[in-house]
Amino acid sequence: MKLVSKLFFAWALLIFCTAENALAQNKREFRGAWIQCVNGQFIGMGTSQMQKTLSYQLDELQKDGVNAIIFQVRPECDALYESKIEPWSRFLTGEQGKAPSPYWDPLEWMIKQCHQRGMELHAWLNPYRAKTKTTTALASNHIAIRHPERVFPYDGLFILNPGIPENCDYICQVAADIVKRYDVDGIHIDDYFYPYPAPGQEIPDQKEFRTHNNGIKDIHDWRRDNVNVFIKKIYETIHQVKPWVKFGVSPFGIYRNKKNDPVNGSDTNGLQNYDELYADVLMWVNNGWLDYCVPQLYWEIGHKAADYKTLIRWWNRYAANRPLYIGEDVERTVKFSDPDNAKSNQMNAKYRLHSQMPNVQGTVLWYAKAAVDNVGNYGTMLRKNYWKHPALQPLMPFIDAKAPKAPKSLTVMNMENEKVLFWKEPKGIDWKDQAVRYVVYRFNKKEKINLDDPSKIVAITTNTFYTIPENKLEPGNHTYVVTALDRMSNESKGAKKKVKL
C-alpha cells in the first residue's frame, strides 16, 4: 500500500511539473494582434469615438500581454494617415479622399499610444489590392483613376498588376514615405499577392507577360518572379531608409501540398502560396528578404485538409532562417474542442504545440477585437496564464546584435507622497546603441537577481522614471534593476538600486 502511495505521489508530482513547464513563459516572445479597418469597424465613428475605441482596445490588449500591434493603414491603395501619394481611406471617414474631421492622423496617434504602452507598432499595408469588393467610388487621386492601365479587375476587386514594373516601384515609394515620416517599428504585408483564385476567372496579364517576361518562358514562373522582385525590393527600400524598421510578411498557411511537392510540401490538401498566389515564401525566408514571417494557421487541430498540428510542425522545420511567429484565429481556436479533451477548447493544445516548436518565437492574434471581446475566455486566459508576464521582442542579430550601455544614476525621490525611481539615458552614438525603451525589474530582499525571469519585470517603458506602487508592496527592502533596450531590443546590463518601503 505504501508503494502504491509513493507511486501515486510521484505520478501526481510529474503531472504538476509538466503542467508548470507547459506554462513557463519565455522572456522574449512576439505577441502581436492585427487591428483591421477593412471590416468597416471604424467607418462613421468620428475622431473622438475612434480614439476612444482604439484606446480601450490597446488597454485591454496590454492587459492580455500583447507587445506589438499590426495596424492596417492601407487596405486598397488608400491611407489611414496623411499622405500626398494616396487618398484618405473610406474605411476611416466613409468616403475615399475625405479627410477626418476633427482632423487627426490615425497612424501617428497609434504610434504614440503603442509606444506609451511599451508596444511596437507595425504599419500593415495591402500591397497589390487597389479596390475591395464593397468600394463603389474612388477618389480622383487614386492610382486606379490616375493610371487605369496599371490595374486589372478580378472578382469584384481591382489589383495593381504585379507584371508592370512601375507598380513595384510605386508600392515601394508608398512604404518608403511611411518609414521616412513615421516612427514605425515595422512594415507588414499580408497574404494578398496575386488574387485568390475565383471560379471561371483568369488573370488578365498575357499582354504584360509578352512585354516584360525577361526571358521567362512559363507564365506561372514569371508571376512568381514578379512577386519575388517586389519582396526583395521593398525589403531593401525599407532598410535603406531606416535599417531598424522590420519588414514582416504574413502568408497564407500552406506553402505547397505534398502531392505537388513531395520534398518540401506539407501533408495537406488546400490552396497553395507557391502555385495559386505565386508567393514563394521559402525563397524569401532563405534569402533573408524579410525580417519575420507570420503564416496564417487559422485552421483547427484535426482539420481534414489543413491540420494545424501538421502545419505548425512544417513551418517550424522549413522556415527557421528568419524569426517565425504563428498567426492564430481566436474565434476558431475557442470554437473547436481539444481532440484529447472534449471538455476544453483548443487554446491550451495550440499553445502547448508552440512551446514544443524550437523555432516558433511568437504569436499574432487574428484579430485584435476578438481577444478584446474575450471570445471564449481567450483574453482572460492570456492575461492570467499564457501571457501573464511581460515579454521583450525576439532578437534579430542579422540587423543588429550590439546592446546599448546601461542606464546611469538611478535615484529615488519622494514626489507628492510617492516614491519615484529616476535614471539617466545612457550615451549612444547612433541608432545601433541608442536606448529607446527601458525594462524595470523588481526583486524582494531574499531573492536572487535573475534578469532571465520575466515574472520580475514590472514595466517596459519609454520613460526615464518609474513610480513605485508602495500601497501594493510589502514593507521592506526591494532591489530595482533597470536595463536599456535599443531599436532591436538588445538589452544592456542592469543598473541596481535598493529601495526601502
Side-chain angles (χ1 to χ4, degrees), residues 269-301:
N269 186 28
L271 184 107
Q272 304 163 104
N273 272 296
Y274 185 92
D275 300 85
E276 280 88 21
L277 303 179
Y278 302 102
D280 192 351
V281 184
L282 289 192
M283 174 178 278
W284 312 340
V285 169
N286 290 327
N287 282 296
W289 294 345
L290 44 77
D291 298 312
Y292 67 89
C293 182
V294 192
Q296 298 173 15
L297 305 192
Y298 292 167
W299 302 277
E300 69 273 17
I301 298 170

Side-chain angles (χ1 to χ4, degrees), residues 307-352:
D307 173 46
Y308 179 95
K309 185 183 293 187
T310 297
L311 283 167
I312 194 172
R313 288 173 172 170
W314 186 93
W315 285 97
N316 176 73
R317 177 181 176 185
Y318 287 91
N321 281 353
R322 278 293 188 260
L324 173 64
Y325 317 140
I326 302 300
E328 292 285 352
D329 186 313
V330 172
E331 293 181 344
R332 178 165 280 191
T333 295
V334 299
K335 176 182 177 181
F336 291 93
S337 60
D338 185 339
D340 297 325
N341 182 7
K343 295 181 180 180
S344 173
N345 64 41
Q346 293 195 354
M347 186 176 186
N348 188 56
K350 286 186 174 182
Y351 276 84
R352 195 183 311 123

Side-chain angles (χ1 to χ4, degrees), residues 57-94:
Q57 290 187 5
L58 292 177
D59 286 342
E60 292 302 298
L61 292 168
Q62 183 182 26
K63 295 173 187 175
D64 289 343
V66 169
N67 62 15
I69 297 297
I70 300 174
F71 181 53
Q72 190 174 29
V73 299
R74 185 185 184 261
E76 50 179 3
C77 293
D78 53 356
L80 272 83
Y81 60 94
E82 185 177 298
S83 172
K84 294 181 180 180
I85 303 173
E86 297 186 310
W88 283 102
S89 176
R90 80 170 182 89
F91 294 107
L92 177 63
T93 63

Side-chain angles (χ1 to χ4, degrees), residues 128 152 154 161-164 193-195 197 201-210 212-214 216-231 273-280 283-284:
Y128 292 112
F152 61 75
Y154 189 91
N161 192 334
I164 299 176
F193 300 103
Y194 277 86
Q201 299 205 32
E202 296 290 334
I203 296 173
D205 61 354
Q206 298 289 334
K207 176 183 175 182
E208 287 74 26
F209 176 56
R210 290 191 298 270
H212 302 295
N213 60 49
N214 295 319
I216 299 173
K217 296 181 180 181
D218 183 272
I219 194 170
H220 304 287
D221 291 337
W222 172 73
R223 288 171 181 165
R224 269 186 293 276
D225 185 65
N226 291 332
V227 181
N228 290 340
V229 168
F230 162 68
I231 292 294
N273 272 296
Y274 185 92
D275 300 85
E276 280 88 21
L277 303 179
Y278 302 102
D280 192 351
M283 174 178 278
W284 312 340

Side-chain angles (χ1 to χ4, degrees), residues 43-317:
I43 292 179
M45 270 192 177
T47 300
S48 177
Q49 185 58 39
M50 185 171 170
Q51 289 180 353
K52 183 178 179 181
T53 299
L54 285 169
S55 292
Y56 173 74
Q57 290 187 5
L58 292 177
D59 286 342
E60 292 302 298
L61 292 168
Q62 183 182 26
K63 295 173 187 175
D64 289 343
V66 169
N67 62 15
I69 297 297
I70 300 174
F71 181 53
Q72 190 174 29
V73 299
R74 185 185 184 261
E76 50 179 3
C77 293
D78 53 356
L80 272 83
Y81 60 94
E82 185 177 298
S83 172
K84 294 181 180 180
I85 303 173
E86 297 186 310
W88 283 102
S89 176
R90 80 170 182 89
F91 294 107
L92 177 63
T93 63
E95 178 184 340
Q96 191 176 94
K98 181 180 179 181
S101 180
Y103 182 85
W104 70 306
D105 185 322
L107 177 55
E108 181 179 53
W109 186 88
M110 280 290 286
I111 291 168
K112 182 179 179 181
Q113 294 295 318
C114 287
H115 288 177
Q116 286 176 349
R117 291 169 173 82
M119 298 174 173
E120 289 191 346
L121 188 285
H122 295 228
W124 166 14
L125 319 180
N126 296 89
Y128 292 112
R129 187 171 62 199
K131 186 188 82 67
T132 60
K133 291 183 180 182
T134 56
T135 296
T136 57
L138 299 175
S140 60
N141 63 331
H142 189 275
I143 186 67
I145 300 298
R146 292 189 291 113
H147 292 284
E149 75 282 1
R150 284 168 51 180
V151 305
F152 61 75
Y154 189 91
D155 193 31
L157 306 169
F158 282 171
I159 305 295
L160 278 178
N161 192 334
I164 299 176
E166 289 81 5
N167 284 337
C168 175
D169 297 337
Y170 176 72
I171 301 166
C172 290
Q173 179 191 7
V174 170
D177 177 59
I178 293 173
V179 175
K180 286 176 184 175
R181 296 190 296 116
Y182 294 91
D183 189 21
V184 294
D185 299 288
I187 294 292
H188 181 93
I189 64 174
D190 57 21
D191 53 322
Y192 292 99
F193 300 103
Y194 277 86
Y196 277 71
Q201 299 205 32
E202 296 290 334
I203 296 173
D205 61 354
Q206 298 289 334
K207 176 183 175 182
E208 287 74 26
F209 176 56
R210 290 191 298 270
T211 306
H212 302 295
N213 60 49
N214 295 319
I216 299 173
K217 296 181 180 181
D218 183 272
I219 194 170
H220 304 287
D221 291 337
W222 172 73
R223 288 171 181 165
R224 269 186 293 276
D225 185 65
N226 291 332
V227 181
N228 290 340
V229 168
F230 162 68
I231 292 294
K232 184 175 186 289
K233 182 162 186 175
I234 191 172
Y235 172 82
E236 291 173 346
T237 298
I238 290 165
H239 285 287
Q240 284 169 0
V241 179
K242 289 178 181 175
W244 62 85
V245 173
K246 306 167 186 177
F247 174 54
V249 180
S250 178
F252 182 71
I254 298 174
Y255 174 68
R256 298 194 84 187
N257 299 312
K258 186 173 286 188
K259 66 181 180 181
N260 297 89
D261 186 345
V263 177
N264 294 317
S266 54
D267 192 12
T268 50
N269 186 28
L271 184 107
Q272 304 163 104
N273 272 296
Y274 185 92
D275 300 85
E276 280 88 21
L277 303 179
Y278 302 102
D280 192 351
V281 184
L282 289 192
M283 174 178 278
W284 312 340
V285 169
N286 290 327
N287 282 296
W289 294 345
L290 44 77
D291 298 312
Y292 67 89
C293 182
V294 192
Q296 298 173 15
L297 305 192
Y298 292 167
W299 302 277
E300 69 273 17
I301 298 170
H303 190 282
K304 292 182 180 179
D307 173 46
Y308 179 95
K309 185 183 293 187
T310 297
L311 283 167
I312 194 172
R313 288 173 172 170
W314 186 93
W315 285 97
N316 176 73
R317 177 181 176 185

Side-chain angles (χ1 to χ4, degrees), residues 466-479:
Y466 171 74
T467 302
I468 297 171
E470 293 185 76
N471 60 331
K472 297 181 180 180
L473 301 175
E474 294 183 5
N477 291 322
H478 298 261
T479 299

Side-chain angles (χ1 to χ4, degrees), residues 5-65:
S5 298
K6 288 180 179 180
L7 289 172
F8 177 79
F9 176 78
W11 172 81
L13 182 63
L14 177 63
I15 295 297
F16 175 79
C17 292
T18 302
E20 285 294 297
N21 288 334
L23 300 179
Q25 296 183 25
N26 296 321
K27 180 181 172 179
R28 292 187 177 274
E29 186 177 22
F30 190 91
R31 300 172 178 175
W34 280 292
I35 295 184
Q36 60 171 327
C37 70
V38 75
N39 64 347
Q41 65 172 316
F42 302 123
I43 292 179
M45 270 192 177
T47 300
S48 177
Q49 185 58 39
M50 185 171 170
Q51 289 180 353
K52 183 178 179 181
T53 299
L54 285 169
S55 292
Y56 173 74
Q57 290 187 5
L58 292 177
D59 286 342
E60 292 302 298
L61 292 168
Q62 183 182 26
K63 295 173 187 175
D64 289 343

